[in-house]
Amino acid sequence: MLSRKPVGQQASVIKYDVLTAVGTFALNQPKGKQVLCLRLMTLITARYNWARNELAVGQREIARMWNVDERTVKREMAKLRAMSWLIVKRQGARGRVTQYALALEQILKDTQPVWSAVGPDFEQRLIGQGAQPENTSAKVVPLHNAQRPSLAPEVDGSSEWGLARSLIHAEDPARFATWIATLTRQERRGRRLYLTAPSRFHAHYVATHLNALCLSAVRQVDPDIDAVIVTEPT
C-alpha cells in the first residue's frame, strides 16, 4: 500500500497509479459517483501539489473548471470529505481559500477491489513486490476487549442532512455512532432544518451539547440553513 509521498524518482509512476486507480474505480460506479471521481481527478491534475500534499483552490475557480455553480461545488467537496478522500488542512477564511490534503491511503483502500482489472503488474506495484499477507492468527483479540466499530453511513447527497451526517462521521465516528446516527430528517421550514431523535433524553442531549456540531456540518452543505432543531418523537 502506498504510504510515502509521491516524490523522487518514482513520483511520476505513483501519480499515474493513483489517477489510474481512481479512474478505474469510477468506471465501476453509478453515474453520480463517476462524475464525482472525474471532478476530483480534474482537480488533482490541475491544482494538486504532490510534494506538499496540498490542494488549495477557491470554490469560484472550481465552479468554472467543473462548469457548475458554487453550491454544487460545496456539495461535491462535502461528498469527497464524507468519503474521507479529502481532508481539510486549513479552513478557509476571508481572503484565504481552504487547503485540502488527499487521503491517499483511504483512496487506495477504497479502490483496491478494481486494481486487478488494470493488470497484475499494477496490482503488485501498489501492494508492494513480494509483500506477504498479514498473519492474523497471533492477533486474536478477546471478545470482551473488542470495540464495536462505527460503520460509515452511505454517503447520501439527496438531502442536506444525508450528506451532513456523513461529514460528522468522517470527523468524529464515536460521537456519530452514539448520538448522530439515529437522528432522522423530519422536514425543512424556510431556513430551519428539523430532526427527530429516538427519545426525549436523546433530543435534549443533542440540542444542548451537539447542536453546534450538527449546524456546522449542515451549513457546509447548505449555507442557507440558519438553525437545526432537534425534537423528540411524537
Side-chain angles (χ1 to χ4, degrees), residues 68-137:
V68 298
D69 56 31
E70 291 186 43
R71 182 178 294 270
T72 300
V73 170
K74 185 178 287 289
R75 293 182 68 90
E76 293 288 83
M77 296 297 278
K79 288 179 185 178
L80 291 167
R81 288 178 54 201
M83 292 165 61
S84 297
W85 282 24
L86 281 183
I87 301 170
V88 175
K89 293 180 66 175
R90 189 175 72 176
Q91 190 64 51
R94 183 179 297 276
R96 186 183 69 195
V97 301
T98 300
Q99 292 182 356
Y100 297 94
L102 273 185
L104 292 175
E105 292 290 345
Q106 186 64 46
I107 291 173
L108 293 178
K109 178 182 177 182
D110 291 346
T111 60
Q112 187 169 5
V114 303
W115 292 354
S116 60
V118 181
D121 58 327
F122 179 82
E123 187 173 26
Q124 289 176 11
R125 190 162 60 246
L126 287 184
I127 294 175
Q129 290 288 351
Q132 297 297 319
E134 183 179 12
N135 183 4
T136 58
S137 60

Side-chain angles (χ1 to χ4, degrees), residues 28-46:
N28 285 270
Q29 301 300 311
K31 183 177 179 180
K33 188 161 283 189
Q34 286 185 2
V35 173
L36 179 63
C37 290
L38 175 60
R39 286 170 173 166
L40 175 62
M41 292 171 68
T42 303
L43 280 183
I44 292 173
T45 54

Side-chain angles (χ1 to χ4, degrees), residues 46-194:
R47 291 291 182 264
Y48 180 62
N49 187 313
W50 291 92
R52 294 202 302 262
N53 188 16
E54 181 179 289
L55 176 66
V57 54
Q59 291 184 5
R60 185 174 301 176
E61 184 179 354
I62 296 175
R64 289 198 304 269
M65 197 181 306
W66 289 355
N67 193 31
V68 298
D69 56 31
E70 291 186 43
R71 182 178 294 270
T72 300
V73 170
K74 185 178 287 289
R75 293 182 68 90
E76 293 288 83
M77 296 297 278
K79 288 179 185 178
L80 291 167
R81 288 178 54 201
M83 292 165 61
S84 297
W85 282 24
L86 281 183
I87 301 170
V88 175
K89 293 180 66 175
R90 189 175 72 176
Q91 190 64 51
R94 183 179 297 276
R96 186 183 69 195
V97 301
T98 300
Q99 292 182 356
Y100 297 94
L102 273 185
L104 292 175
E105 292 290 345
Q106 186 64 46
I107 291 173
L108 293 178
K109 178 182 177 182
D110 291 346
T111 60
Q112 187 169 5
V114 303
W115 292 354
S116 60
V118 181
D121 58 327
F122 179 82
E123 187 173 26
Q124 289 176 11
R125 190 162 60 246
L126 287 184
I127 294 175
Q129 290 288 351
Q132 297 297 319
E134 183 179 12
N135 183 4
T136 58
S137 60
K139 299 184 179 181
V140 177
V141 180
L143 184 60
H144 63 274
N145 288 333
Q147 294 183 350
R148 184 177 180 181
S150 174
L151 298 178
E154 185 70 26
V155 178
D156 178 13
S158 62
S159 71
E160 68 292 290
W161 178 242
L163 191 48
R165 67 197 301 270
S166 293
L167 285 175
I168 296 173
H169 178 273
E171 296 173 1
D172 194 339
R175 189 172 291 179
F176 173 88
T178 305
W179 298 107
I180 305 301
T182 52
L183 298 178
T184 57
R185 185 184 190 278
Q186 182 180 349
E187 63 177 337
R188 177 173 175 176
R189 300 178 197 165
R191 301 174 73 91
R192 292 188 172 191
L193 178 66
Y194 288 81

